[in-house]
Amino acid sequence: MKIVSQIREPIENEMQLFEEKFLKSMSSKVALFNRITYYIVNRKGKQMRPMFVFLTAKLLNGEVNERTYTGASIIELIHTASLVHDDVVDDSNKRRGFFSINALWKNKIAVLVGDFLFSKGLLVSLENKDYDLLHIISNAVRDMSEGELLQIEKARLLDITEEVYYDIIRQKTATLIAACCSMGACSVRPDSEEVEIFRKFGELCGMAFQIKDDLFDYGAEKIGKPTGIDIKEQKMTLPLIYALNNSDKEKKKWLINSIKKHNKNKKRVKEVIAYVKEKGGLDYAVVKMLEFKDEALAILDNYPDSEYKSALTLMVNYVVDRKK
């Protein structure tokens, strides 16, 4: 059995019911919207984020409730909206091996679809008067936007430190996975300390997840993403930051010059990748990624054994072991 299927097994019934509820939550009176959202739903990914919601709720409560479904729908609507907008910003024509919304329906429609999905995510919580869930997702959307802008600002200046890098990935990636887990906890145990405990758990998973993504840029696995794309986009990721911090003045100048002025030069990008590997940038990033993973697993150790704890443990390990 594939790892994702193993993770999903204890919540299979909940996930199937969620998919039905999620499709309904995306409905519109406009036929074009429905055609596009149908296209999105039929090309869904692994749905890791809703799985985090359901597994957290079941770990704490043994069962889910209507609020858990609401939380999972909010998360998936906001996540899908952010992907649609990301493809417009990045001018990307593909998403999960299929044409992106902007490639098929152009940028204006893609932006409007993203806006529609964002509003639906907020409305789902308001319609059910789940103001605590709305608070969690609103904070996440704010952090995601700030994280992306911080990354753009730092890419222009190339003055990023390791601490700033952690701030960026905490906001742009980890915050949504943190929201999944706190949403799951909040749906079954509102106002309990578990809401914050599992927010932290999700954040640690998200940090490990993003570092793993950054490692893919150095050609560790074939994932369909061109090697060196982060360097071409002047994104300062952990392996590169480590190499910069451990280079002499001359090499540091060469690295910064390569990223600023030669980031579209394939030969130069390959040289940068080779240098980062040689300086131990990848090894350092792996160590940090595993530290975040171990911290997340330490939180789970405080809870009794169950099939949901096993599935979450599997999920945390999958985050760092995945091949794409």
Side-chain angles (χ1 to χ4, degrees), residues 58-74:
K58 294 202 89 170
L59 172 78
L60 294 174
N61 200 50
E63 56 187 37
V64 301
N65 56 31
E66 200 54 44
R67 275 164 52 84
T68 317
Y69 287 102
T70 299
S73 292
I74 293 167

Side-chain angles (χ1 to χ4, degrees), residues 26 32-44 80-89 91-117:
M26 291 175 85
L32 178 58
F33 266 127
N34 289 331
R35 207 156 58 240
I36 295 168
T37 54
Y38 182 79
Y39 178 82
I40 291 168
V41 168
N42 279 292
R43 283 147 191 84
K44 63 180 181 286
T80 307
S82 69
L83 295 182
V84 172
H85 279 170
D86 281 352
D87 287 339
V88 174
V89 172
D91 198 22
S92 176
N93 291 322
K94 288 286 181 78
R95 167 70 60 183
R96 295 169 184 146
F98 296 97
F99 284 114
S100 58
I101 304 302
N102 50 300
L104 291 172
W105 284 281
K106 306 301 176 194
N107 282 352
K108 185 175 181 180
I109 289 175
V111 169
L112 290 169
V113 167
D115 291 347
F116 173 80
L117 294 172

